[in-house]
Amino acid sequence: ETGVTQTPRHLVMGMTNKKSLKCEQHLGHNAMYWYKQSAKKPLELMFVYSLEERVENNSVPSRFSPECPNSSHLFLHLHTLQPEDSALYLCASSQDPTRGLSNEKLFFGSGTQLSVL
Amino acid sequence: EDQVTQSPEALRLQEGESSSLNCSYTVSGLRGLFWYRQDPGKGPEFLFTLYSAGEEKEKERLKATLTKKESFLHITAPKPEDSATYLCAVEAYGQNFVFGPGTRLSVLP
């Protein structure tokens, strides 16, 4: 399998549930990202990992918790979400040779469409 | 603060009717401007990177151009399969990508 794979594709959860989104990249990249895409809004960067270390956290609420166990895998753990968190969550990877100073183009997965009831 | 706007928000074209999409940006120290295509239910797919004013890139019916304040994505004789949302993103030195809201293109047969 090649590219960036995200699971699940769709997720419906209640506000009290705990769930995790998974992302796997088969491109040999060293940087991985979580983005949130809401209707008619630009992609919002949530988290960046470069060489398995979190580089940036854009003031995301603590109910979102990322985990990057190695350069190929990225998780987003969800708990006590709000209805406004319903969105498409996209994972991406890139080659980041200078660790945060420049980025190569992003390769995206197909996303997880999350609905919070 | 780095900012990216795109216009129009939505565009309907007849097959074969050429047009252009606009991406306007304000950024300190532009390293690159990126165009992506996003189909419904999928993640964005990379199209082009432009690095300096005056640069042009082409791919099939698409041509991207760059000035110091904006980029255009020209679509020549579009086909229905070109229907998608086109996203523009800028990268400044030492910063992560900033995306625009996108232009939703529909090409009618």
Side-chain angles (χ1 to χ4, degrees), chain A residues 72-93:
Chain A
S72 299
H73 294 86
L74 185 66
F75 296 89
L76 187 62
H77 304 298
L78 316 171
H79 65 97
T80 59
L81 294 191
Q82 305 298 311
E84 59 264 29
D85 297 322
S86 298
L88 180 67
Y89 288 84
L90 290 162
C91 172
S93 70

Side-chain angles (χ1 to χ4, degrees), chain B residues 34-72:
Chain B
F34 298 73
W35 282 99
Y36 289 84
R37 169 193 170 129
Q38 186 173 21
D39 293 302
K42 294 189 175 182
E45 180 182 344
F46 172 77
L47 291 173
F48 304 108
T49 309
L50 301 166
Y51 293 103
S52 57
E55 189 176 358
E56 298 183 353
K57 294 266 179 82
E58 283 189 70
K59 181 180 179 180
E60 297 180 356
R61 295 176 292 283
L62 300 177
K63 183 169 83 171
T65 61
L66 181 65
T67 72
K68 289 187 177 180
K69 293 184 178 181
E70 58 191 351
S71 176
F72 291 93

Side-chain angles (χ1 to χ4, degrees), chain A residues 45-86:
Chain A
L45 178 64
M46 300 177 73
F47 301 103
V48 180
Y49 277 85
S50 178
L51 299 171
E52 301 154 42
E53 193 171 317
R54 186 188 299 176
V55 175
E56 184 162 330
N57 172 356
N58 279 350
S59 302
V60 176
S62 60
R63 56 186 184 269
F64 295 92
S65 175
E67 179 189 359
C68 187
N70 56 60
S71 60
S72 299
H73 294 86
L74 185 66
F75 296 89
L76 187 62
H77 304 298
L78 316 171
H79 65 97
T80 59
L81 294 191
Q82 305 298 311
E84 59 264 29
D85 297 322
S86 298

Side-chain angles (χ1 to χ4, degrees), chain A residues 9 37 42 56 101 103 106 109, chain B residues 31 36 38 41 43 91 94 96:
Chain A
R9 289 297 311 275
Q37 188 174 36
E56 184 162 330
L101 294 182
N103 295 306
L106 296 170
Chain B
R31 178 188 169 271
Y36 289 84
Q38 186 173 21
E91 185 200 6
N96 281 296

Side-chain angles (χ1 to χ4, degrees), chain B:
Chain B
E1 183 183 331
D2 299 342
Q3 197 169 10
V4 179
T5 58
Q6 292 187 247
S7 60
E9 182 178 326
L11 181 62
R12 264 190 168 187
L13 299 174
Q14 288 295 132
E15 184 172 1
E17 179 187 1
S18 301
S19 188
S20 296
L21 313 182
N22 176 266
C23 170
S24 295
Y25 63 91
T26 53
V27 63
S28 299
L30 179 72
R31 178 188 169 271
L33 185 141
F34 298 73
W35 282 99
Y36 289 84
R37 169 193 170 129
Q38 186 173 21
D39 293 302
K42 294 189 175 182
E45 180 182 344
F46 172 77
L47 291 173
F48 304 108
T49 309
L50 301 166
Y51 293 103
S52 57
E55 189 176 358
E56 298 183 353
K57 294 266 179 82
E58 283 189 70
K59 181 180 179 180
E60 297 180 356
R61 295 176 292 283
L62 300 177
K63 183 169 83 171
T65 61
L66 181 65
T67 72
K68 289 187 177 180
K69 293 184 178 181
E70 58 191 351
S71 176
F72 291 93
L73 185 64
H74 307 278
I75 304 176
T76 302
K79 298 182 177 183
E81 53 262 42
D82 295 321
S83 298
T85 296
Y86 291 85
L87 302 175
C88 168
V90 297
E91 185 200 6
Y93 286 97
Q95 303 295 323
N96 281 296
F97 297 101
V98 176
F99 280 83
T103 292
R104 194 169 61 255
L105 174 67
S106 300
V107 182
L108 307 175

